[in-house]
Amino acid sequence: MTFDVVTIFPDFFRSILEYGVLKRAMAGGQASIRLHDLRHFTDDRHRTVDDRPFGGGPGMVFKPEPVFKAVTTLEAETPGRRLPVILLSPQGRLFTQAVAEELMRPDRLVLICGRYEGVDERIAEHVASDEISIGDFVLSGGELPAALIMESVVRLLPGVLGNEESAPQDSFTTLEEGSYGLRHGLLDCPHYTRPAEFQGWKVPEVLLSGNHQEIRRWRRQRALEKTWRRRPDLLADFPLSEEDRRWLDSLQRETREPVVQKSE
Ligand code: 9D3
């Protein structure tokens, strides 16, 4: 899979490509990441990529021409084919694991990293095929989002994490029973390793018991409990068993709501 990243900060990506899953995927030939400096697609002496917003207001906006030229230059490499072009922007649809699984399907992806107040809307409308945000917080540009998306897509590609034969989107279902990846829609249960006691803090007894049925039950209960407390939104789409429901009901009963003191 080839990623073409269009950015005014290509050097930003160099170090992250030298570590972990991105390095492995590039070394193993599963991924190729090409960095394109947006300024190379300008034609004025000052290599201008931005301009003041029509209608006034603070900040600067990416001009459409360099982005358009970058994308058409890349598309000219594969005549007759339009490439999937993702604009990273706070107005995009929310990135999730399901979106990562969608994005691993094409063999090429163009990622446009905006900066400043944003990118001329005609790019979103006529050049990009998709617009993605990584969450409801303010960043200064699309570079970190692009790196994050490549990281999460690349680790799904066959062979990258050793998932050589299985359909990559099945990687979670091949996990040992009792671990719950986000794919299953629950938060993960807690994990422990040696020593069994550290600073007086003990590992839950059941994990040392060797009783695998009890361990499985404990892990599922902890995953359900953490999800219920922290991410109740995830439970709405989760297929709860009868036993799950009984456990959540018991948690609900033992959780005392603090008495709210009404202030004047
Ligand atoms: C302070 C400027 N904001 C006015 C409310 C708008 C704004 C414009 C451009 C906010 C951030 C940015 C730059 N961000 C991105 O390009 C970006 C982003 C993000 O900020 N959050 C989550 N996902 C993404 S993807 C690209």
Side-chain angles (χ1 to χ4, degrees):
M1 178 161 188
T2 299
F3 297 87
D4 288 282
V5 183
V6 178
T7 170
I8 57 167
F9 296 135
D11 290 339
F12 172 91
F13 292 88
R14 309 237 184 250
S15 68
I16 61 162
L17 300 183
E18 287 172 33
Y19 297 93
V21 79
L22 291 176
K23 179 188 181 178
R24 282 184 54 147
M26 291 178 74
Q30 293 97 347
S32 161
I33 297 171
R34 304 164 72 203
L35 302 172
H36 307 279
D37 187 340
L38 186 63
R39 293 191 195 278
H40 289 162
F41 303 96
T42 57
D43 40 29
D44 64 314
R45 296 202 326 109
H46 303 288
R47 305 202 161 253
T48 310
V49 294
D50 61 335
D51 204 343
R52 289 152 49 221
F54 275 128
M60 300 291 272
V61 176
F62 266 4
K63 296 161 59 61
E65 305 97 311
V67 176
F68 182 78
K69 195 168 173 190
V71 171
T72 52
T73 301
L74 292 170
E75 285 184 332
E77 295 175 353
T78 53
R81 183 173 165 202
R82 291 210 57 185
L83 297 172
V85 177
I86 298 172
L87 176 65
L88 287 322
S89 110
Q91 285 75 45
R93 64 184 174 125
L94 193 59
F95 187 70
T96 61
Q97 190 65 23
V99 176
E101 288 172 15
E102 207 180 295
L103 298 185
M104 68 179 276
R105 297 187 190 288
D107 65 344
R108 295 205 45 188
L109 228 41
V110 179
L111 300 172
I112 310 285
C113 308
R115 278 264 147 186
Y116 315 126
E117 287 306 295
V119 178
D120 187 289
E121 185 67 12
R122 288 166 290 188
I123 295 300
E125 238 179 301
H126 303 291
V127 178
S129 50
D130 202 349
E131 191 172 351
I132 293 179
S133 161
I134 62 164
D136 295 337
F137 37 81
V138 179
L139 303 172
S140 303
E143 281 78 10
L144 279 168
L148 178 152
I149 287 170
M150 289 192 289
E151 153 95 20
S152 65
V153 170
V154 152
R155 58 187 297 294
L156 295 174
L157 299 174
V160 173
L161 293 184
N163 45 343
E164 203 67 68
E165 72 300 302
S166 63
Q169 63 271 40
D170 291 340
S171 58
F172 279 85
T173 55
T174 62
L175 288 178
E176 180 198 337
E177 235 188 297
S179 21
Y180 301 97
L182 261 181
R183 189 184 158 69
H184 287 302
L186 287 186
L187 299 185
D188 209 352
C189 63
H191 300 281
Y192 299 88
T193 187
R194 290 183 291 181
E197 182 172 344
F198 170 65
Q199 302 270 154
W201 303 323
K202 290 183 175 144
V203 169
E205 202 69 54
V206 60
L207 296 178
L208 313 176
S209 69
N211 182 335
H212 292 288
Q213 193 186 324
E214 277 304 307
I215 290 170
R216 213 156 36 236
R217 186 209 303 278
W218 180 88
R219 285 183 169 154
R220 188 163 181 103
Q221 290 182 342
R222 295 279 79 80
L224 283 164
E225 179 173 6
K226 199 158 263 187
T227 308
W228 179 67
R229 292 192 191 284
R230 259 178 216 175
R231 293 292 308 278
D233 58 303
L234 295 177
L235 285 181
D237 310 316
F238 186 78
L240 294 168
S241 70
E242 268 311 305
E243 193 181 344
D244 293 340
R245 284 183 196 287
R246 280 197 296 275
W247 170 245
L248 290 171
D249 284 347
S250 75
L251 287 177
Q252 193 118 47
R253 278 194 301 276
E254 78 183 32
T255 302
R256 299 226 188 292
E257 291 300 322
V259 178
V260 177
Q261 299 285 341
K262 277 199 171 170
S263 58
E264 279 303 297

